[in-house]
Amino acid sequence: MRAYAKTDMGQKRTTNQDFVYCSIDAVGQLPNLFIVADGMGGHRAGDLASHFTVERFIKAVEESDAENMISIIDEAVVTANSALMDKAKESEDYEGMGTTLVVATIVDHSLFVANIGDSRLYLISEDIHQITRDHSLVEEMVKLGELDKESARTHAKKNIITRAVGANRNVIADFFEIEFSQGDRILMCSDGLTNMVEDKTIKEIITGCGDIQEAVHKLIKTANDNGGKDNIAVVLVEPDYKD
């Protein structure tokens, strides 16, 4: 297995509130672990929210006695969410802080995914498939037929999310379990990439690069060349596939 992760401040922001974690080695009972978190809040709060949440999530995974992948991840989400809400009480500067969270682990030919917010996970093969579903206002509008996908990318309220770590005590993650095939690649990213680069172009960049590190750098460069209006987080994984 090969994996590469990188964040970038982008062209307009003065801080980087995105955070990534990438381990092809075991973390607790998970055989590997990949995370993207996109923090939100004030100048300090968003940066703290993403880092703190990922750190607490990893610690919870390492300490978990749960017996299956979904339970381990779910318990860690609950623990990290509770810890972030408690942290927010320590200072007025932290009021309202939160973060998106997309988590993945690979077991044999299966991919286990959890998602809160509008950071995404894609499966890249001959085409590009968004596995996660955005928890956002514009996504709800798309579901109701009030907005098409293309218009959603540029809508004035596209940054309003409906679910986040730190928003309330009863946060719920969406879970997905999918099978992947030989040659598939897994992309995880914040909306700093997807708001700046269309899915078709993302797929073309990834399939057109022979090396995943080159692909990640090119994705970030393209997002910045297109305006770089937000922080950018990218994790790209090339899993092993054994019959």
Side-chain angles (χ1 to χ4, degrees), residues 18 40 45 91 97 106 112-113 135 138 147 164 179 185-186 191 208 212 225-226 230-231 235:
D18 285 3
M40 64 201 86
S91 169
M97 72 176 177
I106 298 166
F112 296 87
V113 183
H135 301 135
V138 294
L147 199 65
E179 300 290 315
R185 289 175 175 177
I186 297 156
D191 65 349
I212 58 171
D225 288 347
N226 289 349
D230 200 353
N231 306 144
V235 177

Side-chain angles (χ1 to χ4, degrees), residues 11-12 14 20 23 32 40 43 51 62 76 92 94 104 128 152 178 180 199-200 202 219 223 225 232 237-238:
Q11 300 297 302
K12 306 296 183 181
T14 57
V20 295
S23 176
N32 44 72
M40 64 201 86
H43 181 74
H51 284 70
E62 292 172 338
E92 289 183 0
Y94 300 159
I128 180 168
I178 62 168
F180 61 87
D199 287 6
K200 178 183 177 183
I202 290 173
L219 287 169
D225 288 347
I232 307 156
V237 184
E238 202 171 61

Side-chain angles (χ1 to χ4, degrees), residues 36-135:
V36 167
D38 180 357
M40 64 201 86
H43 181 74
R44 295 176 57 200
D47 177 51
L48 173 66
S50 57
H51 284 70
F52 183 85
T53 297
V54 172
E55 289 169 0
R56 287 305 175 97
F57 181 93
I58 293 168
K59 186 173 186 291
V61 168
E62 292 172 338
E63 296 174 350
S64 177
D65 293 324
E67 297 182 354
N68 65 73
M69 304 299 137
I70 298 298
S71 295
I72 293 169
I73 294 170
D74 189 39
E75 287 180 2
V77 166
V78 172
T79 299
N81 179 69
S82 180
L84 184 63
M85 294 199 72
D86 290 342
K87 186 71 175 177
K89 296 177 182 178
E90 295 179 4
S91 169
E92 289 183 0
D93 292 339
Y94 300 159
E95 185 177 351
M97 72 176 177
T99 184
T100 69
L101 190 70
V102 59
V103 177
T105 189
I106 298 166
V107 184
D108 298 324
H109 298 164
S110 294
L111 177 64
F112 296 87
V113 183
N115 182 62
I116 300 168
D118 62 355
S119 295
R120 295 177 178 176
L121 184 143
Y122 291 89
L123 190 65
I124 315 290
S125 54
E126 294 180 355
D127 205 347
I128 180 168
H129 306 277
Q130 182 181 338
I131 303 303
T132 54
R133 293 189 296 267
D134 296 351
H135 301 135

Side-chain angles (χ1 to χ4, degrees), residues 153-194:
R153 292 188 67 252
T154 57
H155 196 277
K157 296 182 178 180
K158 66 180 180 297
N159 292 324
I160 299 176
I161 63 173
T162 56
R163 206 184 300 181
V165 177
N168 61 70
R169 291 285 175 184
N170 298 317
V171 70
I172 298 173
D174 286 346
F175 285 91
F176 308 87
E177 180 182 353
I178 62 168
E179 300 290 315
F180 61 87
S181 302
Q182 187 169 6
D184 289 352
R185 289 175 175 177
I186 297 156
L187 170 69
M188 301 163 65
C189 59
S190 65
D191 65 349
L193 177 68
T194 53

